[in-house]
Amino acid sequence: MKTKTTLLAAVFLSTVAFAQEKNIQTQMYYYTKKIDSIIISEKSNMNIELDKLDEDLKGNKVAVTEEKLKRRKEIAEKYKQIINEKIENEKSELESATQELVKNTVLNPEGKYRLSFEPYSGKIQFNGKRVMLPKDYLHSIKLSMSFVGANLTTKDEAFRFYSKNSEIRNTVYNAVSFALRYENQLGNYTSPVFYRAGIGLRTDYLTPKYGKVFSQDDKNLFVQDFTRGTIKRTSLNNTYITVPLELKWVLNPKYMEHENIKYIDNRQTQFYIVAGLYGGVRATSVIYNKYSTEYSKRVVERETVNNGLNNFLVGGKFGIGYGGVGLYIQKDFTPTFNNDALLTSKYGLQIGLELLSVNF
């Protein structure tokens, strides 16, 4: 669904940009054709009148020659005035088209639409409009991807990372998160505060400590030793659909002026802090086991989890970032596991690294 939404957005923006550019080109084309038509038509009329003058004033006398030169100059001046007056009448169309071209050249010199990447900040920018004013950069749609280290904590030790008492293995990366967010400025054009709202997808791959697996019976979810072979890979995969609501504060704002109005220049790479809340609903939960036996080197099992998990979560987020790269901490205020889970650590705690951010 996210892929389809992003594709439709890209197609729509590209279509708008193409239509806008096509309209400017059409205006310039018809204006040029009109000017050419005026010049050709009046030049033809002038030549006819000059030919008639030559026919009327035949002879080699000096007086006749001087009269011919005088009349030819008068005719040329007359048609020059006619052409200038007719072009003046078309001037409004030229001004309209010229203003659009100036905007294109000054504000967006790199083209109709483009995809740019800043390797040091990790920011990818997709411009789907030909003409963007400074205020247009103050709101955007962003697609981000984060690699996350997910932990489980107890209620009493809410921020204890990599606790030895946790039933899951302490790993640096065991979750991934995607978010499609709308971002807009909060306040006037120079305000460094922005708000974000959107929809996301988060998957936690919780792996028990070595030699153990997640299991369930009719009532409970628990962790136990694996006795049916040699375990090669195991995890409890929880996927959530999330709704993030965030505030972003730019720490190094830069400014620009356009038409005597001062704007924060949102095209610049920025340091920022971000804080917010998120809510989520559990979409799927699956126990995954991959192991080997004396009869088979590869046995894969997938089992849907029916007990021990809460269907909803609410949490908070705080982070810092530079351009498209961000580091943040997320804390689930509600427990991942309910009372049917025979675990000591039930609350989610994540450290996330946002490495990819695409702006539309």
Side-chain angles (χ1 to χ4, degrees), residues 7 16 19 33 45 63-64 74 79 93 103 160 174 188 212 217 251 272 312 323 351:
L7 180 60
V16 171
K33 295 295 288 185
N45 293 336
V64 172
E74 291 174 351
Y79 281 97
E93 292 188 21
K103 287 181 182 179
R160 184 175 179 181
N174 59 344
N188 57 37
K212 297 182 179 294
D217 56 24
L251 300 178
Y272 62 88
F312 302 96
I351 300 178

Side-chain angles (χ1 to χ4, degrees), residues 146-152 168 171 173-177 201-207 214 234-240 242 278 282 284-288 309 313 328 330 332 336-337 346-351:
S146 303
F147 297 97
V148 184
N151 301 261
L152 290 179
I168 71 166
T171 56
Y173 161 60
N174 59 344
V176 65
S177 177
L201 189 70
R202 166 182 142 189
T203 301
D204 300 338
Y205 304 94
L206 304 177
T207 302
F214 279 99
T234 181
S235 61
L236 171 60
N237 306 333
N238 288 329
T239 299
Y240 301 91
T242 60
Y278 58 87
R282 184 167 63 92
T284 61
S285 293
V286 176
I287 296 173
Y288 174 87
L309 289 164
L313 62 83
Y328 61 86
Q330 281 190 170
D332 294 343
T336 303
F337 299 92
K346 298 184 178 182
Y347 288 80
L349 177 64
Q350 298 90 32
I351 300 178

